[in-house]
Structures are given as C-alpha cells and as structure tokens.
Amino acid sequence: MMEFIKKNRVSFSFAVFITLIARDVILGIRPYDPLAFSDTSATLSLLAVIVGVFLRSWAAGVVRKSETLACTGPYAFTRHPLYLGSFLVAVGMGYLTGDVVNLFAVGAVAVIFYHPTIRSEERFLAGKFGKEWEEYCARVWAFFPRSAPRNVLAQWTFAQWLRNKEYKLASAAALGILAMSYFSY
C-alpha cells in the first residue's frame, strides 16, 4: 500500500485539487484575485506560491536523486525542500480560493500522501548513506528549518532543474494563478 501511495501521490493530489476547484465552481465560491496587491490575503497567498515554486526550483537544481546525499543549497535548511515547496504552493493556492475547506484538504493531502512518502524516503536514504545520513539528520530538521546554514549558495544548474522536470510545477502554478485571477472577477 505504501508503495502505491508513494508512486501515485502526485496524481492523487491533482485529483483532490481538481475536485476542490469543481466544488468551488459549483458552489459559486470566488477566489481572491492573486494580482490584487492591496488585498493582504491574496498577496500572502501569492507569496506562499512564489516562495514554494522558488524553493522547489532551487532544490531541483541541486539534487541528484539516489546518486549523492544533497546537503547543500536548500538541503542545508531542510531535508525535504521539494516537499516543503509543494506544501507552500498548495497552501497558497488553497488559501487563494477563499474557502477554509480547501485548506483542510491541503493538510489532509500532506498527511495522507506526503508524510508516508517522506518516511519511506528517509528509510531509503538511511540505508544508502548510513553514518553520513545520521550526521545530516542531526544538523538539519526534516521539514521546517531551525537555523541558517553556511553553505546555502551551493551550485544550482538549469540542466539539473530540467532533468528533475521542475518546469511542470512552475508552469502549473503560473496557470493556476492566472486562472484564479480570471475567475475572481
């Protein structure tokens, strides 16, 4: 079951968000206009989306999955910057809808689909990197950063960003922002 959830987490998340959007349309719930910078809720939501996309993009340009243990760049702040970035994007988009039910759904998706995946990945990394992983875990928290590390300016490459297909989330977030702006009127 765990492998099924891990393998299909993005598809499940997407299905949940499409269902929420359909529900909002049916109920006539109008989202905040993400481009209305005088609206604090809209601006904070947009900021969460932008920070999330930036964090994921930064991490995707650094990580070489299953090859080396990423400990620099955003991985010096948090062991899971890709998931933290996804969470910020989801919370930002959920809050932009202006409906608290969507925020609870985002939290449920994180707990149901991503928490078990994180635990599974950490077991894999512990087995693969052993002592190096243990030392890394002692320095860096799993999700939210606890301190500012020294090696945050690690080498980021556009080629690695492309290999990790991060353009998909960046594009989806941009389209979501544009759609919310359009439907907020």
Side-chain angles (χ1 to χ4, degrees):
M1 181 67 165
M2 169 56 71
E3 197 57 38
F4 180 77
I5 288 173
K6 184 178 171 184
K7 184 177 180 181
N8 295 293
R9 70 186 181 278
V10 174
S11 298
F12 286 138
S13 299
F14 185 73
V16 167
F17 294 124
I18 292 299
T19 302
L20 290 171
I21 290 168
R23 174 191 159 274
D24 290 349
V25 168
I26 290 167
L27 294 176
I29 297 170
R30 306 290 274 171
Y32 294 115
D33 180 358
L35 304 179
F37 299 114
S38 60
D39 182 343
T40 305
S41 295
T43 302
L44 290 174
S45 299
L46 180 61
L47 183 61
V49 172
I50 290 169
V51 168
V53 168
F54 171 79
L55 184 58
R56 281 196 57 92
S57 293
W58 187 19
V62 171
V63 70
R64 284 158 177 61
K65 296 176 182 179
S66 300
E67 293 175 24
T68 60
L69 182 60
C71 299
T72 59
Y75 291 91
F77 288 102
T78 172
R79 295 195 305 263
H80 302 285
L82 290 166
Y83 293 129
L84 179 55
S86 293
F87 180 72
L88 290 171
V89 169
V91 166
M93 293 298 245
Y95 193 67
L96 269 173
T97 65
D99 186 14
V100 72
V101 171
N102 293 342
L103 285 177
F104 285 116
V106 166
V109 165
V111 170
I112 294 167
F113 299 121
Y114 289 91
H115 183 263
T117 300
I118 289 171
R119 291 181 54 127
S120 173
E121 287 180 9
E122 291 209 337
R123 282 191 298 275
F124 168 78
L125 293 168
K128 182 164 180 96
F129 297 107
K131 182 90 169 134
E132 184 182 7
W133 173 254
E134 289 176 27
E135 291 169 359
Y136 175 63
C137 289
R139 289 189 318 271
V140 179
W141 281 10
F143 209 60
F144 294 106
R146 65 175 160 191
S147 64
R150 288 176 270 170
N151 56 350
V152 297
L153 300 176
Q155 190 174 31
W156 179 92
T157 66
F158 185 68
Q160 188 62 32
W161 183 81
L162 288 173
R163 270 193 296 281
N164 285 323
K165 300 177 183 168
E166 201 55 34
Y167 52 84
K168 290 182 178 181
L169 177 77
S171 300
L175 288 172
I177 295 294
L178 290 174
M180 292 232 191
S181 180
Y182 176 77
F183 287 111
S184 67
Y185 294 106

